[in-house]
Amino acid sequence: MSNGLNRGAMLCLGRRGARWLRGRLPFRAEQRATLVNVKVKWVKDRHLDWAVSRERHLRPALHLVHLISSQPRGRAALRDLATCHRQFALPHANIATFLRRFPTVFRESADPGGTDGPWFSLSHDALRLRRMELGALADAEQDLVDRLRRFLMLTADRSLPLHAIDQLRWDMGLPSDYHLSVVPRHRDFFELVRRPGDERIWLKLVSWDPRLAVSELQKSASSADGDCLAFPVSFTRGFGLKKKCMAWLREWQTLPYTSPYADASGLDSRTDVSEKRIVGVFHELLHLTIAKKTGRRNVSNLRKPLGLPFKFTKVFERHPGIFYLSQKLATQTVVLREAYGGSDLLIEHPLQEIREKYLALLMASQQERTKGD
């Protein structure tokens, strides 16, 4: 730090003193402190692990529900469903096993002609939920549009290739055909483009909306916080930080907060100030998802669009009080801690509420099998 003040002195000033001092130092002085090498131990959180693992079968089940319900007669031959096995993340031979595992959702019937093998339709409860889901999608369209606009506003050039958005489509609650249904209905916000020499289709934001360029952390802050906003932090029960780590975290929280919607090209990526901006980007991105979680690999290709340095996902390990990395389902899922109380989501979206009802229906099948055994 400039003016002869080191990290320990800044920490002793306390939050108010640090704010007062920063108002009197040049911004470049904020970036002279190098990134502190702090190693934080990963500790298992069984509640958040359950919030992830309980949805093991939800996504493939809903893919099949949507596919079957889209058929002219509301039913589909097993052989037709089997051709789509890759998008359901199920082995080819397991499609029939998966469908039969959940009779509360899927109903099997014989082919009238006796040539196409078994057919599957939806149960009455699943049909009712599908109608509710379509109604919730219609009611929530403006909210989903705003989430998609904010996602594009996080990027440096306000655009993303569709495949990058597809990685987060499920987590954001977008319908599978959003680029063919939602986007064309909102041409004042979005434009589908192709870039010279690039075969990919990109979604481009047509106009900037300053009303949306306010992060969730900024919305929850008070005027007394100034520009040194602190992230909500909580730890797994029994988790203990070393004194060095706790001191670093307290000081890190008092550093200036850079809005994820602001131009951060002037930040030095080797500093804690820059790291706080990266944390802010993912704090906001997770808030854009309806369940406040996503797979780590879903964001791995967003480094350039979001203007992030190499190894940017290391912030998930360095800040276990803000993010939790679940190792369940043979992958890593990033969970926003503040959004959960135990394994319960505290901020529920209407579409997530529908998914909870689907999940209860899937679990009902498992309960029936348990009784039968």
Side-chain angles (χ1 to χ4, degrees):
M1 290 290 179
S2 64
N3 293 5
L5 287 165
N6 60 23
R7 288 181 169 270
M10 288 293 290
L11 182 60
C12 292
L13 283 171
R15 179 176 292 184
R16 289 187 179 179
R19 288 188 197 130
W20 176 87
L21 181 62
R22 288 191 179 93
R24 289 154 177 79
L25 291 178
F27 180 70
R28 282 191 300 174
E30 292 287 356
Q31 300 192 64
R32 291 181 185 172
T34 56
L35 192 64
V36 177
N37 184 22
V38 175
K39 294 183 179 180
V40 184
K41 182 182 178 182
W42 179 84
V43 176
K44 180 182 179 67
D45 189 315
R46 60 184 182 88
H47 295 294
L48 294 181
D49 277 342
W50 172 240
V52 172
S53 63
R54 66 196 288 265
E55 295 186 359
R56 177 187 303 271
H57 303 301
L58 181 61
R59 187 169 183 176
L62 259 65
H63 278 316
L64 288 164
V65 165
H66 297 167
L67 184 58
I68 293 172
S69 66
S70 68
Q71 301 305 303
R73 295 185 180 181
R75 62 180 189 142
L78 176 61
R79 67 176 185 180
D80 294 332
L81 295 174
T83 61
C84 306
H85 70 281
R86 288 184 180 179
Q87 71 186 86
F88 305 135
L90 291 170
H92 175 89
N94 282 359
I95 289 285
T97 302
F98 184 87
L99 290 162
R100 290 165 180 153
R101 186 175 184 178
F102 302 106
T104 56
V105 180
F106 306 106
R107 300 178 66 177
E108 183 176 0
S109 59
D111 172 36
T115 57
D116 287 341
W119 287 63
F120 287 89
S121 58
L122 301 182
S123 69
H124 293 304
D125 287 334
L127 279 171
R128 177 178 56 82
L129 282 180
R130 180 55 177 157
R131 287 191 291 268
M132 291 175 62
E133 183 183 7
L134 290 172
L137 272 170
D139 293 342
E141 180 162 320
Q142 187 57 56
D143 172 74
L144 296 177
V145 166
D146 286 347
R147 287 171 187 265
L148 186 53
R149 292 167 70 193
R150 289 166 66 187
F151 185 22
L152 294 174
M153 288 168 67
L154 289 175
T155 66
D157 60 358
R158 319 306 177 214
S159 62
L160 280 170
L162 290 183
H163 78 83
I165 300 174
D166 290 343
Q167 293 289 323
L168 286 157
R169 179 192 64 76
W170 164 266
D171 298 316
M172 293 181 67
L174 296 169
S176 57
D177 64 345
Y178 70 95
H179 60 295
L180 301 174
S181 56
V182 176
V183 168
R185 288 197 291 269
H186 299 275
R187 297 186 186 276
D188 49 338
F189 298 143
F190 308 113
E191 182 183 7
L192 292 172
V193 298
R194 271 198 172 94
R195 295 183 172 183
D198 191 340
E199 295 183 353
R200 298 174 297 175
I201 299 176
W202 291 64
L203 184 64
K204 180 180 178 181
L205 188 69
V206 172
S207 60
W208 180 271
D209 188 344
R211 178 183 60 88
L212 297 178
V214 181
S215 71
E216 293 298 320
L217 190 62
Q218 289 172 317
K219 291 176 185 177
S220 62
S222 67
S223 57
D225 292 323
D227 66 344
C228 300
L229 306 186
F231 293 95
V233 171
S234 63
F235 295 99
T236 305
R237 181 175 294 181
F239 183 89
L241 278 179
K242 295 181 179 179
K243 287 185 178 180
K244 175 186 175 183
C245 295
M246 187 60 74
W248 166 76
L249 178 59
R250 281 199 299 264
E251 182 189 0
W252 183 87
Q253 287 277 40
T254 68
L255 293 173
Y257 169 79
T258 304
S259 167
Y261 299 104
D263 179 10
S265 57
L267 287 180
D268 186 339
S269 63
R270 298 166 297 177
T271 64
D272 284 342
V273 174
S274 175
E275 183 184 62
K276 189 168 183 178
R277 186 255 172 180
I278 298 170
V279 170
V281 167
F282 287 109
H283 181 270
E284 184 71 2
L285 186 58
L286 287 173
H287 266 291
L288 295 182
T289 66
I290 64 174
K292 315 309 177 195
K293 57 183 173 64
T294 192
R296 184 174 185 166
R297 62 185 178 185
N298 292 344
V299 300
S300 61
N301 63 340
L302 294 177
R303 185 184 69 82
K304 287 186 177 180
L306 296 179
L308 303 175
F310 289 104
K311 299 182 179 180
F312 62 92
T313 59
K314 289 292 184 181
V315 297
F316 301 141
E317 283 102 349
R318 281 170 58 86
H319 295 276
I322 301 172
F323 309 111
Y324 175 66
L325 269 180
S326 174
Q327 311 290 334
K328 293 295 183 179
L329 306 185
T331 187
Q332 290 188 329
T333 302
V334 188
V335 184
L336 187 62
R337 279 192 179 276
E338 70 189 69
Y340 283 81
S343 58
D344 297 325
L345 188 61
L346 300 177
I347 315 169
E348 287 219 344
H349 189 278
L351 290 174
Q352 184 62 26
E353 292 177 1
I354 298 293
R355 290 181 181 179
E356 289 291 334
K357 294 181 186 295
Y358 275 118
L359 193 57
L361 200 57
L362 291 170
M363 289 183 171
S365 289
Q366 295 176 322
Q367 291 168 358
E368 287 184 6
R369 284 200 309 274
T370 302
K371 290 178 181 178
D373 295 340

